[in-house]
Structures are given as C-alpha cells and as structure tokens.
Amino acid sequence: MKRILLLSLFVLGFTFSSHAQEIAKNAIGLRIGDNKGVGNEINYQLGLNENKRLELGLSWHSNSHKDSYKLTGIHQWIWQLEDRFNWYAGVGGGVGSINYGHRHKHYSDKSKAFVFVAGTIGIEYNFDIPLLISLDFRPEVGFGDYRDDLNFDIALGLRY
C-alpha cells in the first residue's frame, strides 16, 4: 500500500511539473488601476524562463495640484491553472516622486520622494490572439517623505 501511494504521488507530481506553460517572452500594455494617486501604468513583461518573468512599470499623473511618477519592478512566478489560464505571485519594489511646484500653497517643501516594497498576486488569461488580460492585487509598503504607509492597489491589465 505504501508503494502504491508513493508511486501515485510521484506520477502526479511529474504530471504537474512536466506540463508546459505558455507565457509570452515579451508583453507590453497598460495596467489600469488607481495606483494610489500616481495614475495608470505603462507595463512591460519580460519572460525570464518558462515560469518566471520580470514586470516593469511606469506610471505618472498630472493635474492642477501636482505632478507625480512611479517606477516599479516586480519578479513574478507563474503557475498554470488550465490551458491558457494562469495565476502568478511576485515581489519587488520601486521609486517615485511627487512635485507640487507652485500649485500647492500648503507645502513648504514642494518636491517629495519615496521608495516602496511591493508584492503582487493575480490571475491572467492568454488569448489565442496576441492579447493577455489580467487582474491583480498589489500591496505596497512605502518609505520616504510622501508615502510611509501600507497601500493596496487592484488593477486590470491589458497587454499585447
């Protein structure tokens, strides 16, 4: 009985590990979310191997009160759920800046910078056409003049 159980676990484990995934080597698009006041993100994903990738993002926001930007880099691991349906998780971080300029009279220091550590968890579907759609959750812990707290971001990603 012990041998049958061990053999079954071995075969099951081999089946899951040998099932190839299809992640794009390169993907570019938008990550549409609130991004905690910094705006939507132009996003690039670089496939590192069959189940790892690097995600890079640039977001910016400009209005009558402030100009801001944020650079993000996250290392992700991808696991296949079904044929073209995956889930992923990752860790990373980034830097950002906010500039009030002459627009905001309540701040004596008109420029503020921050760094942050981020995690991500999400699901994605890779269509037969060159379109990848994802939904992810990204908690961020900020350090610095502007952001020194925990923030949460949920976003929809559309990539080519």
Side-chain angles (χ1 to χ4, degrees), residues 25 27-32 41-48 52-58 71-78 88-94 118-124 132 134-138 140 153 155-159:
K25 182 70 177 159
I28 191 165
L30 295 174
R31 186 174 179 272
I32 304 165
E41 183 177 288
I42 293 179
N43 193 275
Y44 175 73
Q45 292 178 337
L46 173 65
L48 301 175
K52 294 179 190 171
R53 70 178 167 219
L54 181 62
E55 181 174 293
L56 304 170
L58 169 65
L71 297 169
T72 306
I74 296 182
H75 185 269
Q76 296 176 341
W77 293 266
I78 300 101
Y88 57 92
V91 294
T120 188
I121 186 165
I123 56 173
E124 67 184 16
L132 177 73
S134 66
L135 180 66
D136 66 37
F137 171 69
R138 185 187 289 174
E140 298 176 355
D153 187 21
L156 175 70
L158 299 170
R159 294 176 190 92

Side-chain angles (χ1 to χ4, degrees), residues 56-113:
L56 304 170
L58 169 65
S59 56
W60 71 93
H61 180 75
S62 182
N63 63 21
S64 61
H65 301 292
K66 65 183 178 183
D67 296 320
S68 56
Y69 77 90
K70 185 167 86 168
L71 297 169
T72 306
I74 296 182
H75 185 269
Q76 296 176 341
W77 293 266
I78 300 101
W79 296 275
Q80 187 172 25
L81 292 172
E82 224 171 274
D83 185 30
R84 296 180 163 274
F85 192 55
N86 303 319
W87 76 279
Y88 57 92
V91 294
V95 297
S97 175
I98 185 164
N99 185 0
Y100 292 101
H102 66 281
R103 301 173 186 170
H104 205 285
K105 60 185 174 189
H106 297 303
Y107 290 98
S108 59
D109 185 7
K110 308 248 190 243
S111 182
K112 306 222 180 244

